[in-house]
Structure formats: C-alpha cells, structure tokens
Amino acid sequence: GAGVSQSPSNKVTEKGKDVELRCDPISGHTALYWYRQSLGQGLEFLIYFQGNSAPDKSGLPSDRFSAERTGGSVSTLTIQRTQQEDSAVYLCASSLDPPTVYNEQFFGPGTRLTVL
Amino acid sequence: GESVGLHLPTLSVQEGDNSIINCAYSNSASDYFIWYKQESGKGPQFIIDIRSNMDKRQGQRVTVLLNKTVKHLSLQIAATQPGDSAVYFCAVVYSSASKIIFGSGTRLSIRP
C-alpha cells in the first residue's frame, strides 16, 4: 500500500520568503510527526499531532514555524520569513497511535529545503 | 532533559565482517528503543526495536543489546553487506510523553 508521502521533494527559496511543506500520512494513522534533519545530524522533533487532541508543539524552534493537520489526515508545515539556518530536510512520520512497541513510525522521504 | 548520543560519526567495516554500532542515552524513564536505517535520499526505516524490560533481541542478521545499567544500546549487523551502507540512528521512546528522541547517527560504510 501507499506509504507516507511528502511534497515537494525539494524546495529552494529566498531568505525572508514563506514556505509550505505538505505531508500525506498513511491512511488510518492517527499520529503524525514532523522532524527536521540538518546536514549530518540526527532528527530533531518539531511537532506531534494525535487524533483530535491539541498538538504537541514543544519542538518548534521559533514562532516562525507552525503546522496544521486538516481533517485528521494531511498536514502542512509552514515556515514564515525563512532564514538560512532553516535549510534542512524536513521529515514527516505517521503511526497508528502514540509510539508504543506495537506501532511503528513510518517515515516519508522528506522535503529538502534550501534557503538562499 | 533527554539526550541520546555518543555515536561515532562514521564506521568502516570490511564486507563480510560484523558491524557494531553503539548508542547511549541519558533518561532511564524510557519504554523502548528503536534502531533506524536511513539510506541516502530516503526517510529513516525501522530495523528492530527492543522493550526496556529486555536485554537482547534478534532479527534477521541484526541483534540489539540493551544495557540499562549503563544506559547503553548497540546494534550488531552480522556478515555486513554493501546494502547495509547507510546512516543508523538509535531512538529512545518515552511513551508517557509520546516522544521519540533520536541520536545523531552513525554512517556505516563497507569496504570491498
């Protein structure tokens, strides 16, 4: 079946512009996560959506970052007034429930964002 | 706070030899641990996990060892193959907080 998809795969933007990154989770997955991966680094947690509960935004690095999840499915990560340090690969993952030993997180291929 | 680290940034292994990738974590209030493999241009892919009440788990050519006393986790890959070339991440799960903390990763390269 279809996995997690993300679009665009690559995004080049100018400093100061806003960008929107999209994630389509696996159908039926109630949990959705956004991570950021800078070059040669591990995954940095950004935000977590679980069903209809209020999202866990504790990982968002600044108020320029926001995310929505419409209808419990598709999610959009928005970065306003992009800065060069925002350049990274942004990964989305989904799972059936909050992570337990039974519910694997499935990752999308990521969106590579380059801010010039 | 939580942290996961002490990875070697790179590991070079002769094809056919065993690989051992290590990871340390700081917070003992973790529920389980996961190893992910990330190939170039792709998202991380689940390899194997282990519950915090276990100390060893085996999969196909992979074994994960957990030492809670010293908060150390390792991934052993038997008979390393060229297709094993990737970055390997350990991740620590805190289910009560619905959080997964990832380490910085180890890049495994295979010498022919």
Side-chain angles (χ1 to χ4, degrees):
Chain A
V4 178
S5 62
Q6 292 185 245
S7 61
S9 56
N10 281 282
K11 176 70 176 179
V12 180
T13 190
E14 293 180 349
K15 178 181 174 181
K17 300 284 189 180
D18 297 351
V19 295
E20 285 190 352
L21 312 180
R22 177 187 169 106
C23 172
D24 285 86
I26 293 173
S27 178
H29 280 192
T30 56
L32 186 148
Y33 302 79
W34 281 99
Y35 297 90
R36 178 168 69 175
Q37 186 175 31
S38 300
L39 185 64
Q41 300 297 312
L43 277 69
E44 175 189 4
F45 166 79
L46 296 177
I47 188 169
Y48 158 64
F49 295 90
Q50 171 54 27
N52 295 321
S53 302
D56 176 356
K57 303 179 182 180
S58 60
L60 294 178
S62 77
D63 59 7
R64 296 187 295 107
F65 288 72
S66 62
E68 291 184 341
R69 189 177 185 192
T70 55
S73 180
V74 172
S75 178
T76 302
L77 176 69
T78 301
I79 309 173
Q80 296 178 310
R81 304 181 302 281
T82 52
Q83 304 293 315
Q84 289 182 332
E85 60 263 29
D86 299 335
S87 297
V89 175
Y90 290 82
L91 289 159
C92 174
S94 71
S95 70
L96 282 170
D97 275 318
T100 71
V101 67
Y102 304 108
N103 292 319
E104 177 184 343
Q105 272 195 355
F106 294 85
F107 282 83
T111 294
R112 180 175 297 278
L113 175 66
T114 303
V115 181
L116 301 177
Chain B
E2 305 96 355
S3 69
V4 181
L6 296 186
H7 287 106
L8 289 173
T10 60
L11 176 65
S12 179
V13 176
Q14 190 78 32
E15 182 177 351
D17 287 353
N18 297 336
S19 302
I20 300 176
I21 302 171
N22 296 305
C23 179
Y25 61 98
S26 61
N27 192 330
S28 59
S30 51
D31 299 290
Y32 77 112
F33 306 83
I34 313 170
W35 281 100
Y36 287 90
K37 174 184 180 182
Q38 186 176 25
E39 296 175 288
S40 181
K42 298 182 180 179
Q45 182 177 17
F46 174 93
I47 301 174
I48 191 169
D49 63 10
I50 186 169
R51 299 187 194 195
S52 59
N53 62 354
M54 301 171 66
D55 53 21
K56 181 178 180 179
R57 190 173 186 207
Q58 288 185 293
Q60 187 177 16
R61 282 203 305 119
V62 294
T63 300
V64 56
L65 299 177
L66 175 62
N67 185 332
K68 293 181 289 296
T69 302
V70 296
K71 300 188 182 67
H72 184 271
L73 185 72
S74 70
L75 176 70
Q76 300 179 6
I77 304 173
T80 311
Q81 303 170 358
D84 296 328
S85 293
V87 176
Y88 291 82
F89 294 96
C90 69
V92 181
V93 180
Y94 303 92
S95 292
S96 60
S98 299
K99 279 192 172 179
I100 299 179
I101 307 297
F102 285 81
S104 56
T106 297
R107 180 175 297 280
L108 178 64
S109 61
I110 314 302
R111 302 191 302 273

